[in-house]
Amino acid sequence: MTKGILQFAHQLLKNTIQEGDTIIDATCGNGHDTVFLSKLAGKSGHVFGFDIQTEAITHTAKRLQEQSPHKNTTLIQDSHSNFLHHIPVDKLTRLGGAIFNLGYLPGGDKQIITKSDSTITAMEGIMTHLKPKGIIVLVIYHGHKGGKEEMQAIMKYARLLDQKQFAALYYGFINQKNNPPFILAIEKK
Ligand SMILES: C[S@@+](CC[C@H](N)C(=O)[O-])C[C@H]1O[C@@H](n2cnc3c(N)ncnc32)[C@H](O)[C@@H]1O
């Protein structure tokens, strides 16, 4: 059976993350992915969630408190491109996966969007520190203003990755209207 985009994004992480792993939510937004990751990381793992907006960090903290049984998440109001400043070395060496849910905060300011430069800087850094078989899952929205530029830059970057080091996978529906989101997943070999 086919899976929806967000369902498939979560499935990829579920298949990959191991006990004790560190996971990054690069774009917390309203915290749906952060709650999922917190449950996935369990007692022994840890989640680092990033967002540049106070509103997103507040919503995510509330959702975590209400919906996750674990106290295993650190929320950071900063760009994901600065993730290295915030994750201690012992946690970084256990980095098993990351998710980027690109675009703007649903219900928030549509002018504040993820941008290709910081997204690619963060992706590169995460790819360097990922454990072998670790995965970055990007949910790419490209229907909004600025979305197409970011999508094109990311796809150009991913197509050029050395296939001996990384597997880059595309998953999306090709007959849906209105620029549906799709998944780009990058697995470290
Ligand atoms: C589509 S939303 C994320 C949705 C979220 N994953 C959820 O489950 O609700 C994108 C988020 O990325 C954030 N963002 C934009 N640029 C960022 C950056 N450089 N670093 C971290 N977050 C960023 C926005 O503030 C916005 O909240």
Side-chain angles (χ1 to χ4, degrees), residues 57-126:
I57 296 292
T58 309
H59 287 179
T60 302
K62 186 163 180 277
R63 197 176 294 279
L64 278 167
Q65 203 178 14
E66 289 168 356
Q67 297 179 14
S68 175
H70 306 294
K71 300 245 173 296
N72 59 0
T73 302
T74 307
L75 297 179
I76 299 139
Q77 188 175 349
D78 194 1
S79 172
H80 39 231
S81 57
N82 294 328
F83 78 95
L84 274 178
H85 301 314
H86 301 283
I87 304 185
V89 177
D90 63 317
K91 294 277 193 285
L92 202 57
T93 52
R94 300 194 217 166
L95 185 57
I99 187 163
F100 290 73
N101 208 313
L102 302 178
Y104 58 85
L105 176 66
D109 184 346
K110 291 189 180 175
Q111 310 292 322
I112 306 174
I113 56 170
T114 50
K115 302 223 169 98
S116 58
D117 284 358
S118 41
T119 303
I120 292 173
T121 301
M123 286 168 66
E124 273 184 325
I126 292 171

Side-chain angles (χ1 to χ4, degrees), residues 119-155:
T119 303
I120 292 173
T121 301
M123 286 168 66
E124 273 184 325
I126 292 171
M127 281 156 57
T128 305
H129 291 278
L130 264 187
K131 296 190 332 185
K133 303 288 176 205
I135 197 165
I136 305 182
V137 180
L138 296 108
V139 181
I140 304 189
Y141 292 83
H142 52 102
H144 60 282
K145 194 162 176 273
K148 191 172 169 195
E149 182 277 331
E150 182 181 33
M151 180 265 283
Q152 287 172 337
I154 293 169
M155 291 305 279

Side-chain angles (χ1 to χ4, degrees), residues 13 17-26 33-50 64 68 70-76 83 86-99 130-131:
L13 285 158
I17 297 304
Q18 295 173 327
E19 214 184 315
D21 274 358
T22 297
I23 320 172
I24 294 177
D25 185 351
D33 293 328
T34 325
V35 166
F36 167 76
L37 295 181
S38 172
K39 289 179 179 169
L40 188 59
K43 270 189 193 157
S44 59
H46 202 88
V47 179
F48 290 88
F50 294 86
L64 278 167
S68 175
H70 306 294
K71 300 245 173 296
N72 59 0
T73 302
T74 307
L75 297 179
I76 299 139
F83 78 95
H86 301 283
I87 304 185
V89 177
D90 63 317
K91 294 277 193 285
L92 202 57
T93 52
R94 300 194 217 166
L95 185 57
I99 187 163
L130 264 187
K131 296 190 332 185

